Amino acid sequence: MAAERTLKSRPLERMDDLVSLCARRGIVFASSEIYGGINGFWDYGPLGVEFKNNLKAAWWQAVVRERDDVEGIDSSIICHPRTWEASGHVEHFSDPMVDCRACKKRFRADQLADAGPCPAREGTSEHDLTEPRRFNLMLQTRIGASEDAAALAYLRAETCQPIFNDFRRVREVSRQQIPFGIAQIGKAFRNEINPRNFTFRSREFEQAELEFFCREGERDRWFEHWLDERLRFHRALGLGPEHLRTRPHAPEELAHYCKRAVDVEFRFPFGWQEIEGIHDRGTWDLARHSEYSGKDLGVTDPETKEHYLPTVIETSVGVDRTCLAVLCAAWAEEELEGGETRTVLRLVPALAPIKAAVLPLSKKLGEPAGRLERELRRRWNTFYDDSGNIGKRYRRQDEAGTPFCITWDFDSEADGQVTVRERDSMQQERIPAAAVGEWLAARLGPAA
Ligand code: ATP
């Protein structure tokens, strides 16, 4: 098949286009779909889980493995309930909520602009709203057989609090000195009043957080360092300058313990929204956990012998939100020469769920093509597809974000060559079948 050419490319403008691609290809779709779904909960399918794992691996590589001053952990989701008293979540982690007396819908009082008209009132489309009430966002559960208050526990509302719980032990076992950081990736739960915009605001989601402990006098330097690092990371995921900006918080927006905060925002089809926050949390968390646990979480300077509480710089990114941002930036609908259109996910190869697809031109060529695919599979996540015409098979890989296709045709056996096709340019090239591994390694890295 001759190489195709793009005449026009359209970026994502309506979330529905992405939502339907994600459902159709099983990337992300409603949880418990057979029961009608459950609001604020999402499942990642075969392609989605590979994509999300790649994104988490990229974060872990950049924040933990490539550094000798960051340690990783994987804490439990349910912590001692005192954790959430110390952190202030039991008392303060709430949103203002209002109800409409007519249509019974519930809204966040600070997001009424998005409420839309009331479907239940005559003569007016305005909602009949109650006074705002505070609504705590932490999801509760009970532990053990007892129903009493002592058994009450919370699903963690953020992944960072267990990092403070573990600070002392991790520092001891890793023999780290200040400055150093502790990082983890994991689930967080928030009983959001209005989950919406696909996975953007969910009730169960994943966070990747770093708490970096430093001396007070070095807080600004480390803040700048991590802000730069995190922006570099997002750019490497394919989020270009037209999609990315930073927004410093105004003093009145800051949590009382927070000295400085900058949001990393992405331009979604529904507007600029936060995907990550960089925060200077001061000594608040370690001071509170010291107070509530009765354990001294201070450190002693090895030279001056001064005992002090380290200052914390936090980077907190939503894994699902970043996945969504990457998908939004990668999606394109293209008009091709000859009148056809294709949907393509221009994912950077490191994030692509499938790195290469092997496509025999005919089922009769299955034996040698299968052999090649099995060989590549040892190094990368590959895919074998022998059904449908070759054009359709290319389209299926384009919308799955597969960067490379390898076609085994009727000449391959005789001349030992295959056709490799690149997703974005659709350029094709004939190379020796024996050199495919090397050709891919030059574009994908030695293995993934
Ligand atoms: P928002 O103002 O959007 O509710 P936040 O400021 O409360 O977010 P943080 O507590 O700073 O968010 O959490 C850090 C990151 O976790 C956010 O930047 C976001 O990417 C992610 N996150 C927070 N809440 C949700 C949610 N309900 N669904 C998906 N991701 C979330």
Side-chain angles (χ1 to χ4, degrees), residues 147-381:
E147 280 291 312
D148 63 29
L152 183 67
Y154 304 97
L155 305 188
R156 67 184 176 204
E158 55 187 26
T159 51
C160 67
Q161 293 304 325
I163 292 181
F164 301 122
N165 284 354
D166 292 351
F167 168 70
R168 208 162 74 162
R169 180 169 293 274
V170 173
R171 196 174 72 82
E172 278 165 15
V173 297
S174 62
R175 295 185 292 128
Q176 288 278 7
Q177 299 289 348
I178 303 299
F180 85 103
I182 306 177
Q184 84 162 328
I185 301 178
K187 293 269 187 179
F189 301 81
R190 295 183 187 178
N191 202 359
E192 297 282 358
I193 295 166
N194 256 334
R196 65 206 169 124
N197 288 329
F198 199 18
T199 58
F200 178 82
R201 189 171 298 289
S202 311
R203 288 177 166 142
E204 174 177 339
F205 54 96
E206 271 186 282
Q207 290 184 315
E209 292 195 291
L210 164 75
E211 306 305 311
F212 196 82
F213 304 91
C214 63
R215 299 289 311 222
E216 156 141 41
E218 298 201 309
R219 65 194 326 165
D220 290 334
R221 184 167 82 74
W222 283 111
F223 193 102
E224 295 302 330
H225 170 84
W226 282 110
L227 181 57
D228 286 351
E229 285 295 300
R230 299 304 304 140
L231 286 170
R232 205 154 63 87
F233 175 83
H234 289 296
R235 286 194 286 265
L237 301 183
L239 308 184
E242 73 284 13
H243 277 125
L244 219 49
R245 73 177 187 194
T246 52
R247 190 183 72 81
H249 281 213
E252 63 276 14
E253 280 181 272
L254 294 174
H256 64 92
Y257 53 82
C258 197
K259 303 278 184 302
R260 184 180 169 198
V262 172
D263 284 349
V264 178
E265 294 190 334
F266 176 81
R267 187 152 59 83
F268 288 96
F270 46 86
W272 286 99
Q273 296 285 345
E274 168 187 341
I275 55 173
E276 172 152 12
I278 322 288
H279 310 122
D280 177 342
R281 300 176 68 110
T283 53
W284 158 260
D285 303 277
L286 290 181
R288 291 281 287 196
H289 288 294
S290 290
E291 182 192 336
Y292 277 68
S293 67
K295 305 286 184 316
D296 174 15
L297 300 183
V299 298
T300 304
D301 187 299
E303 269 148 39
T304 64
K305 306 298 172 213
E306 180 203 350
H307 195 69
Y308 67 98
L309 279 180
T311 288
V312 172
I313 305 299
E314 171 184 84
T315 72
S316 174
V317 69
V319 173
D320 307 84
R321 258 189 212 181
T322 308
C323 281
L324 187 62
V326 168
L327 289 172
C328 287
W331 187 98
E333 195 175 77
E334 295 184 347
E335 210 176 286
L336 305 182
E337 222 170 38
E340 243 199 283
T341 57
R342 71 162 182 165
T343 306
V344 56
L345 281 184
R346 295 202 199 102
L347 297 172
V348 296
L351 296 183
I354 300 167
K355 308 295 183 200
V358 176
L359 318 171
L361 208 53
S362 145
K363 284 198 164 74
K364 290 190 195 113
L365 302 168
E367 213 278 308
R371 210 179 321 121
L372 174 64
E373 198 266 337
R374 282 192 299 280
E375 196 187 304
L376 300 176
R377 184 183 280 259
R378 301 216 301 264
R379 297 167 72 180
W380 301 284
N381 194 36

